[in-house]
mmCIF file of all heavy atoms in Angstrom:
data_model
loop_
_atom_site.group_PDB
_atom_site.id
_atom_site.type_symbol
_atom_site.label_atom_id
_atom_site.label_comp_id
_atom_site.label_asym_id
_atom_site.label_seq_id
_atom_site.Cartn_x
_atom_site.Cartn_y
_atom_site.Cartn_z
ATOM 1 N N GLU A 63 48.793 14.482 111.352
ATOM 2 C CA GLU A 63 49.285 14.775 109.983
ATOM 3 C C GLU A 63 48.080 14.859 109.035
ATOM 4 O O GLU A 63 47.177 14.000 109.117
ATOM 5 C CB GLU A 63 50.278 13.768 109.505
ATOM 6 C CG GLU A 63 51.623 13.825 110.121
ATOM 7 C CD GLU A 63 52.408 15.123 109.851
ATOM 8 O OE1 GLU A 63 52.191 15.751 108.732
ATOM 9 O OE2 GLU A 63 53.195 15.524 110.647
ATOM 10 N N ARG A 71 50.091 13.704 95.407
ATOM 11 C CA ARG A 71 50.272 13.529 93.948
ATOM 12 C C ARG A 71 51.552 14.179 93.457
ATOM 13 O O ARG A 71 52.204 13.643 92.595
ATOM 14 C CB ARG A 71 49.050 14.040 93.197
ATOM 15 C CG ARG A 71 47.979 13.021 93.067
ATOM 16 C CD ARG A 71 47.199 13.271 91.751
ATOM 17 N NE ARG A 71 46.269 12.142 91.559
ATOM 18 C CZ ARG A 71 46.529 11.122 90.787
ATOM 19 N NH1 ARG A 71 47.620 11.043 90.100
ATOM 20 N NH2 ARG A 71 45.606 10.176 90.636
ATOM 21 N N ARG A 85 44.670 5.797 89.738
ATOM 22 C CA ARG A 85 43.944 6.283 90.878
ATOM 23 C C ARG A 85 44.026 5.251 91.992
ATOM 24 O O ARG A 85 44.188 5.607 93.176
ATOM 25 C CB ARG A 85 42.513 6.629 90.542
ATOM 26 C CG ARG A 85 42.387 7.882 89.681
ATOM 27 C CD ARG A 85 40.922 8.160 89.307
ATOM 28 N NE ARG A 85 40.813 9.153 88.316
ATOM 29 C CZ ARG A 85 40.223 10.349 88.489
ATOM 30 N NH1 ARG A 85 39.737 10.650 89.657
ATOM 31 N NH2 ARG A 85 40.124 11.181 87.482
ATOM 32 N N GLY A 93 47.137 5.159 101.493
ATOM 33 C CA GLY A 93 46.707 4.318 102.547
ATOM 34 C C GLY A 93 47.822 3.652 103.321
ATOM 35 O O GLY A 93 47.771 3.520 104.560
ATOM 36 N N LEU A 99 51.661 5.845 109.703
ATOM 37 C CA LEU A 99 51.589 6.975 110.726
ATOM 38 C C LEU A 99 50.661 6.575 111.871
ATOM 39 O O LEU A 99 51.030 6.723 113.038
ATOM 40 C CB LEU A 99 51.079 8.244 110.048
ATOM 41 C CG LEU A 99 52.064 8.968 109.060
ATOM 42 C CD1 LEU A 99 51.357 10.046 108.293
ATOM 43 C CD2 LEU A 99 53.246 9.524 109.873
ATOM 44 N N VAL A 135 34.928 8.772 106.319
ATOM 45 C CA VAL A 135 34.021 9.867 106.428
ATOM 46 C C VAL A 135 33.631 10.296 105.029
ATOM 47 O O VAL A 135 34.485 10.629 104.198
ATOM 48 C CB VAL A 135 34.660 11.070 107.204
ATOM 49 C CG1 VAL A 135 33.653 12.230 107.271
ATOM 50 C CG2 VAL A 135 35.144 10.661 108.567
ATOM 51 N N GLU A 172 32.151 6.682 93.276
ATOM 52 C CA GLU A 172 31.299 5.756 93.937
ATOM 53 C C GLU A 172 31.212 6.127 95.409
ATOM 54 O O GLU A 172 32.088 5.841 96.199
ATOM 55 C CB GLU A 172 31.905 4.321 93.800
ATOM 56 C CG GLU A 172 32.006 3.880 92.354
ATOM 57 C CD GLU A 172 32.830 2.621 92.170
ATOM 58 O OE1 GLU A 172 33.413 2.137 93.166
ATOM 59 O OE2 GLU A 172 32.875 2.125 91.035
ATOM 60 N N GLY A 203 36.288 6.458 120.946
ATOM 61 C CA GLY A 203 37.424 6.315 121.851
ATOM 62 C C GLY A 203 38.765 6.628 121.249
ATOM 63 O O GLY A 203 39.811 6.198 121.696
#
Side-chain angles (χ1 to χ4, degrees):
E63 285 296 331
R71 272 210 173 261
R85 289 177 191 246
L99 289 168
V135 180
E172 299 170 354

